[in-house]
Amino acid sequence: MSKPPITASTIIAGVAGWPVRHSLSPLIHNAWLEAAGIDAVYVAFGTPADHFEDFVRGARGGAVRGVNVTLPFKQQALAMATRATERARTAAAANILIFETDGTISADNTDGLGLIAAFKGQARGFDLAAGPMVILGAGGGARGATAALLAAGCPEVRILNRTLAKAQALAAELGAGVVAGGLADAPRAFEGVTAVINATSAGLANAGQLTVPLEATPSSAVVMDMIYKPLMTPLLLQAQALGRRTVDGLEMLIGQAAPSFEAFFGRPPPGAVDVRALALAALDP
Ligand code: NDP
């Protein structure tokens, strides 16, 4: 089915962030919209840091149906919402704002759903409740991931961060089932884990590299990286070389996009379109 022309009733949704030009979300959502024949467009709203509040004020009231929110506004988005789901409050961040017609703003966070969908999709048979997992990093991504893993039954999340105090603060806040350490604790923390998840920005261009002893993980451990550019990060390449199964950040991105689509357009995305193939083609330099 081809996409209908833009009309007076075309629904507008999008992604707000800064910078946002690299975002794959417009590609993913517009492919789904076209396949579903929905009269809507999904665009990128580049909102420089001091203009995010103005953007949200302008969008509220329903002129825009809703937006995904990406770096660096996820915490600010939650703070501006009228109401928020429990998972957004636990993650202390929102990646979805829905602008209701009465002027209220609803916040949600589907990053955790995306993470779990990625494991389901790429690590077939992986049992989230089977044992402890390590998360590298203690920023927004790590916080949301930890909350989602605990909610999915993971018995223990070991948060290792470059800045130990931040890992400790996050562990204290999230409570039972979360322990903190520094990156130097990796060899011991990797013992007996079912998975290691990179939620640091190390591996992104100009953000430095992460060197961790993946060989200390059990051979059955799955290694996941939230970064998807490059798709095969140095950590995932190291994991592959050791024979570990891997899960990539693109699968997580698509996994969070699906419930976002449903929140904006009232139905799940159509299954017929291979958005991963489209995204991979766009990522290919
Ligand atoms: P934050 O800025 O909140 O946190 C960054 C984290 O990375 C901090 O823990 C920081 O440690 C750590 N860090 C940065 N540089 C290094 C380094 N050189 N060595 C070791 N640790 C480092 O970012 P987010 O949590 O929001 O995002 C983290 C990553 O996850 C990003 O790359 C983001 O793009 C990705 N992401 C992907 C998603 C997806 O759908 N695939 C969804 C959400 C996030 P310290 O505290 O010491 O500064």
Side-chain angles (χ1 to χ4, degrees):
M1 198 181 295
S2 74
K3 194 165 193 281
I6 290 174
T7 67
S9 55
T10 299
I11 296 166
I12 301 169
V15 54
W18 186 259
V20 79
R21 283 180 64 179
H22 66 282
S23 174
L24 291 173
S25 295
L27 179 76
I28 293 168
H29 283 272
N30 285 313
W32 280 334
L33 287 170
E34 186 172 341
I38 297 173
D39 183 11
V41 289
Y42 185 103
V43 295
F45 296 107
T47 50
D50 48 352
H51 291 300
F52 182 70
E53 279 194 31
D54 290 339
F55 167 76
V56 171
R57 277 196 213 98
R60 74 188 306 166
V64 172
R65 170 67 61 82
V67 286
N68 283 124
V69 181
T70 186
L71 292 174
F73 302 124
K74 289 185 181 182
Q75 284 80 11
Q76 208 178 337
L78 181 69
M80 291 192 76
T82 318
R83 68 182 81 83
T85 58
E86 195 183 333
R87 61 187 177 219
R89 287 198 305 272
T90 312
N95 77 328
I96 298 181
L97 292 179
I98 300 291
F99 302 110
E100 314 287 359
T101 48
D102 65 0
T104 58
I105 305 174
S106 304
D108 196 0
N109 192 322
T110 59
D111 281 340
L113 294 179
L115 178 76
I116 287 164
F119 271 86
K120 281 201 179 122
Q122 292 190 325
R124 295 278 154 82
F126 183 83
D127 181 0
L128 290 155
M133 296 171 76
V134 162
I135 293 192
L136 305 168
R143 174 191 286 269
T146 304
L149 293 175
L150 292 174
C154 180
E156 183 177 281
V157 178
R158 302 169 181 168
I159 297 176
L160 307 184
N161 195 42
R162 179 176 62 179
T163 309
L164 175 61
K166 273 167 76 178
Q168 288 171 329
L170 190 52
E173 202 185 316
L174 292 174
V178 187
V179 293
L183 291 175
D185 296 319
R188 204 159 35 92
F190 282 178
E191 281 172 25
V193 292
T194 59
V196 173
I197 299 170
N198 179 31
T200 75
S201 31
L204 279 177
N206 306 323
Q209 294 301 330
L210 196 64
T211 310
V212 286
L214 287 182
E215 60 278 6
T217 59
S219 58
S220 58
V222 172
V223 178
M224 193 265 172
D225 202 325
M226 290 196 189
I227 292 173
Y228 56 85
K229 200 171 183 177
L231 185 73
M232 285 312 292
T233 61
L235 186 79
L236 293 187
L237 290 171
Q238 184 193 349
Q240 269 190 350
L242 289 165
R244 306 292 187 269
R245 287 199 292 167
T246 60
V247 174
D248 64 54
L250 180 58
E251 201 69 5
M252 176 174 173
L253 183 78
I254 295 168
Q256 66 74 36
S260 301
F261 185 93
E262 193 158 358
F264 299 141
F265 308 115
R267 63 176 110 155
V273 52
D274 187 351
V275 288
R276 184 175 168 89
L278 292 174
L280 284 174
L283 280 174
D284 201 16

